[in-house]
Amino acid sequence: MYKITDEPIQTNDVVNAVIRPEAGAIVTFFGTVRELTAGKRTLYLQYEAYQSMAEKKLHQIGEEISQKWPDARTAIIHRIGRLEISDLAVAIAVSTPHRNDAYEANRYAIERIKEMVPIWKKEHWEDGQEWIGNQQGTKEYRSGKPEKGDLT
């Protein structure tokens, strides 16, 4: 399951997508909206995505995990739209026969999402708002908002 949604994430959906008899471990990661970032109070976040490409990239991450950890099964859901403090932004579940592989593969998934999936967020603070560049924070948007050329 690799999905972008504007609905609240149901954690059981990602877990149920990877449960299987041969798995001895399921590791989950739930990314939530935090209230404070670098000393600034966040009111809410707005996520946008190039949805069809984002879902293809999530699927690619699952394939990469299957190549690195052949016994792994992965599910990823990322939410877009307005998210309030403590809302789930992303949920990842990885099952493997042994826990070490599940931990490593799950960490790999979130790092690759931040590296390559075209999802953007706009921070809304008490005193303003700003589009945050790419998810790694290494790229700024020239116009203050993501454009077609920013999809790499």
Side-chain angles (χ1 to χ4, degrees), residues 89-115:
V90 62
I92 303 166
V94 178
S95 68
T96 60
H98 304 286
R99 68 180 175 273
N100 283 344
D101 288 344
Y103 277 115
E104 290 175 16
N106 197 298
R107 175 68 184 255
Y108 180 86
I110 189 62
E111 298 302 332
R112 290 293 282 158
I113 288 169
K114 291 188 168 287
E115 183 179 336

Short mmCIF file of all heavy atoms in Angstrom, two decimals, residues 89-115:
data_model
loop_
_atom_site.label_atom_id
_atom_site.label_comp_id
_atom_site.label_asym_id
_atom_site.label_seq_id
_atom_site.Cartn_x
_atom_site.Cartn_y
_atom_site.Cartn_z
N ALA A 89 0.98 12.91 9.85
CA ALA A 89 1.31 13.34 8.50
C ALA A 89 1.74 12.16 7.64
O ALA A 89 1.47 12.13 6.44
CB ALA A 89 2.43 14.38 8.54
N VAL A 90 2.41 11.21 8.25
CA VAL A 90 2.89 10.04 7.52
C VAL A 90 2.88 8.82 8.43
O VAL A 90 3.13 8.93 9.63
CB VAL A 90 4.31 10.28 6.93
CG1 VAL A 90 5.33 10.54 8.01
CG2 VAL A 90 4.74 9.14 6.03
N ALA A 91 2.55 7.68 7.86
CA ALA A 91 2.59 6.41 8.58
C ALA A 91 3.30 5.39 7.71
O ALA A 91 3.00 5.25 6.52
CB ALA A 91 1.18 5.92 8.92
N ILE A 92 4.27 4.73 8.31
CA ILE A 92 5.06 3.70 7.61
C ILE A 92 5.03 2.44 8.46
O ILE A 92 5.26 2.51 9.67
CB ILE A 92 6.53 4.14 7.42
CG1 ILE A 92 6.62 5.46 6.68
CG2 ILE A 92 7.35 3.04 6.72
CD1 ILE A 92 8.00 6.10 6.76
N ALA A 93 4.79 1.32 7.83
CA ALA A 93 4.90 0.03 8.52
C ALA A 93 5.75 -0.89 7.66
O ALA A 93 5.58 -0.94 6.44
CB ALA A 93 3.52 -0.60 8.74
N VAL A 94 6.69 -1.57 8.31
CA VAL A 94 7.53 -2.56 7.62
C VAL A 94 7.52 -3.83 8.45
O VAL A 94 7.77 -3.79 9.66
CB VAL A 94 8.98 -2.06 7.47
CG1 VAL A 94 9.84 -3.14 6.80
CG2 VAL A 94 9.05 -0.76 6.67
N SER A 95 7.24 -4.94 7.79
CA SER A 95 7.33 -6.23 8.47
C SER A 95 8.46 -7.03 7.85
O SER A 95 8.71 -6.96 6.64
CB SER A 95 6.01 -7.00 8.36
OG SER A 95 5.77 -7.41 7.04
N THR A 96 9.16 -7.76 8.72
CA THR A 96 10.24 -8.65 8.30
C THR A 96 10.26 -9.84 9.25
O THR A 96 9.66 -9.78 10.33
CB THR A 96 11.63 -7.95 8.36
OG1 THR A 96 11.87 -7.55 9.70
CG2 THR A 96 11.70 -6.75 7.43
N PRO A 97 10.98 -10.90 8.91
CA PRO A 97 11.07 -12.03 9.85
C PRO A 97 11.76 -11.65 11.17
O PRO A 97 11.42 -12.19 12.21
CB PRO A 97 11.88 -13.06 9.08
CG PRO A 97 11.60 -12.75 7.64
CD PRO A 97 11.51 -11.24 7.60
N HIS A 98 12.74 -10.71 11.11
CA HIS A 98 13.51 -10.35 12.31
C HIS A 98 13.51 -8.84 12.51
O HIS A 98 13.51 -8.06 11.56
CB HIS A 98 14.95 -10.86 12.19
CG HIS A 98 15.00 -12.33 11.95
ND1 HIS A 98 14.74 -13.26 12.93
CD2 HIS A 98 15.24 -13.04 10.81
CE1 HIS A 98 14.83 -14.47 12.42
NE2 HIS A 98 15.13 -14.37 11.13
N ARG A 99 13.56 -8.38 13.78
CA ARG A 99 13.36 -6.97 14.11
C ARG A 99 14.42 -6.02 13.55
O ARG A 99 14.10 -4.90 13.17
CB ARG A 99 13.23 -6.78 15.62
CG ARG A 99 14.48 -7.04 16.41
CD ARG A 99 14.26 -6.83 17.91
NE ARG A 99 15.42 -7.19 18.65
CZ ARG A 99 15.70 -8.41 19.09
NH1 ARG A 99 14.86 -9.38 18.84
NH2 ARG A 99 16.80 -8.65 19.76
N ASN A 100 15.68 -6.42 13.52
CA ASN A 100 16.71 -5.49 13.04
C ASN A 100 16.43 -5.03 11.62
O ASN A 100 16.57 -3.83 11.31
CB ASN A 100 18.10 -6.12 13.12
CG ASN A 100 18.65 -6.12 14.53
OD1 ASN A 100 18.14 -5.40 15.40
ND2 ASN A 100 19.66 -6.93 14.76
N ASP A 101 16.05 -5.95 10.77
CA ASP A 101 15.74 -5.57 9.39
C ASP A 101 14.53 -4.64 9.34
O ASP A 101 14.51 -3.69 8.55
CB ASP A 101 15.47 -6.81 8.54
CG ASP A 101 16.73 -7.61 8.24
OD1 ASP A 101 17.84 -7.06 8.42
OD2 ASP A 101 16.59 -8.77 7.83
N ALA A 102 13.54 -4.89 10.17
CA ALA A 102 12.34 -4.03 10.17
C ALA A 102 12.69 -2.60 10.61
O ALA A 102 12.23 -1.62 10.01
CB ALA A 102 11.26 -4.63 11.08
N TYR A 103 13.52 -2.47 11.66
CA TYR A 103 13.95 -1.13 12.10
C TYR A 103 14.72 -0.41 10.99
O TYR A 103 14.46 0.75 10.68
CB TYR A 103 14.83 -1.22 13.34
CG TYR A 103 14.07 -1.34 14.64
CD1 TYR A 103 14.18 -2.48 15.42
CD2 TYR A 103 13.28 -0.29 15.11
CE1 TYR A 103 13.49 -2.60 16.62
CE2 TYR A 103 12.59 -0.39 16.30
CZ TYR A 103 12.71 -1.55 17.06
OH TYR A 103 12.03 -1.66 18.25
N GLU A 104 15.68 -1.09 10.43
CA GLU A 104 16.52 -0.46 9.40
C GLU A 104 15.71 -0.08 8.17
O GLU A 104 15.88 1.01 7.62
CB GLU A 104 17.66 -1.41 9.01
CG GLU A 104 18.70 -1.58 10.09
CD GLU A 104 19.75 -2.63 9.73
OE1 GLU A 104 19.84 -3.00 8.53
OE2 GLU A 104 20.48 -3.06 10.63
N ALA A 105 14.85 -0.96 7.73
CA ALA A 105 14.05 -0.68 6.54
C ALA A 105 13.07 0.47 6.78
O ALA A 105 12.86 1.31 5.90
CB ALA A 105 13.29 -1.94 6.12
N ASN A 106 12.50 0.54 7.96
CA ASN A 106 11.57 1.62 8.27
C ASN A 106 12.30 2.96 8.27
O ASN A 106 11.82 3.95 7.71
CB ASN A 106 10.88 1.37 9.61
CG ASN A 106 9.65 2.23 9.75
OD1 ASN A 106 9.74 3.45 9.76
ND2 ASN A 106 8.49 1.60 9.87
N ARG A 107 13.47 3.02 8.87
CA ARG A 107 14.27 4.25 8.88
C ARG A 107 14.64 4.65 7.44
O ARG A 107 14.60 5.82 7.07
CB ARG A 107 15.54 4.04 9.72
CG ARG A 107 16.53 5.21 9.71
CD ARG A 107 15.94 6.41 10.41
NE ARG A 107 16.78 7.57 10.34
CZ ARG A 107 17.51 8.02 11.35
NH1 ARG A 107 17.52 7.39 12.49
NH2 ARG A 107 18.24 9.10 11.20
N TYR A 108 15.00 3.66 6.65
CA TYR A 108 15.33 3.91 5.24
C TYR A 108 14.14 4.56 4.53
O TYR A 108 14.29 5.51 3.77
CB TYR A 108 15.70 2.58 4.57
CG TYR A 108 16.05 2.71 3.12
CD1 TYR A 108 17.35 3.02 2.72
CD2 TYR A 108 15.09 2.51 2.12
CE1 TYR A 108 17.67 3.14 1.38
CE2 TYR A 108 15.40 2.63 0.79
CZ TYR A 108 16.70 2.94 0.42
OH TYR A 108 17.01 3.07 -0.92
N ALA A 109 12.94 4.06 4.80
CA ALA A 109 11.75 4.58 4.13
C ALA A 109 11.53 6.06 4.42
O ALA A 109 11.31 6.85 3.51
CB ALA A 109 10.52 3.77 4.56
N ILE A 110 11.60 6.48 5.68
CA ILE A 110 11.33 7.89 5.98
C ILE A 110 12.43 8.79 5.42
O ILE A 110 12.14 9.89 4.92
CB ILE A 110 11.10 8.14 7.50
CG1 ILE A 110 10.59 9.57 7.73
CG2 ILE A 110 12.33 7.86 8.31
CD1 ILE A 110 9.27 9.91 7.11
N GLU A 111 13.66 8.34 5.44
CA GLU A 111 14.73 9.16 4.87
C GLU A 111 14.55 9.30 3.36
O GLU A 111 14.77 10.39 2.81
CB GLU A 111 16.11 8.56 5.20
CG GLU A 111 16.41 8.50 6.69
CD GLU A 111 16.36 9.86 7.40
OE1 GLU A 111 16.60 10.89 6.77
OE2 GLU A 111 16.06 9.86 8.61
N ARG A 112 14.16 8.26 2.69
CA ARG A 112 13.94 8.32 1.23
C ARG A 112 12.72 9.18 0.90
O ARG A 112 12.70 9.90 -0.10
CB ARG A 112 13.79 6.92 0.63
CG ARG A 112 15.07 6.12 0.62
CD ARG A 112 16.11 6.70 -0.31
NE ARG A 112 15.78 6.35 -1.70
CZ ARG A 112 16.23 7.02 -2.75
NH1 ARG A 112 17.01 8.08 -2.60
NH2 ARG A 112 15.89 6.64 -3.97
N ILE A 113 11.68 9.14 1.73
CA ILE A 113 10.52 10.00 1.50
C ILE A 113 10.97 11.46 1.52
O ILE A 113 10.64 12.24 0.62
CB ILE A 113 9.43 9.75 2.58
CG1 ILE A 113 8.77 8.40 2.34
CG2 ILE A 113 8.39 10.89 2.57
CD1 ILE A 113 7.87 7.95 3.48
N LYS A 114 11.73 11.83 2.51
CA LYS A 114 12.19 13.22 2.62
C LYS A 114 13.11 13.60 1.47
O LYS A 114 13.18 14.75 1.07
CB LYS A 114 12.86 13.46 3.97
CG LYS A 114 11.87 13.40 5.12
CD LYS A 114 12.49 13.83 6.41
CE LYS A 114 11.44 14.04 7.46
NZ LYS A 114 10.67 15.24 7.26
N GLU A 115 13.82 12.62 0.96
CA GLU A 115 14.79 12.86 -0.10
C GLU A 115 14.15 12.98 -1.48
O GLU A 115 14.59 13.80 -2.30
CB GLU A 115 15.79 11.70 -0.10
CG GLU A 115 16.92 11.82 -1.08
CD GLU A 115 17.85 10.62 -0.97
OE1 GLU A 115 17.90 9.98 0.10
OE2 GLU A 115 18.53 10.33 -1.96
#
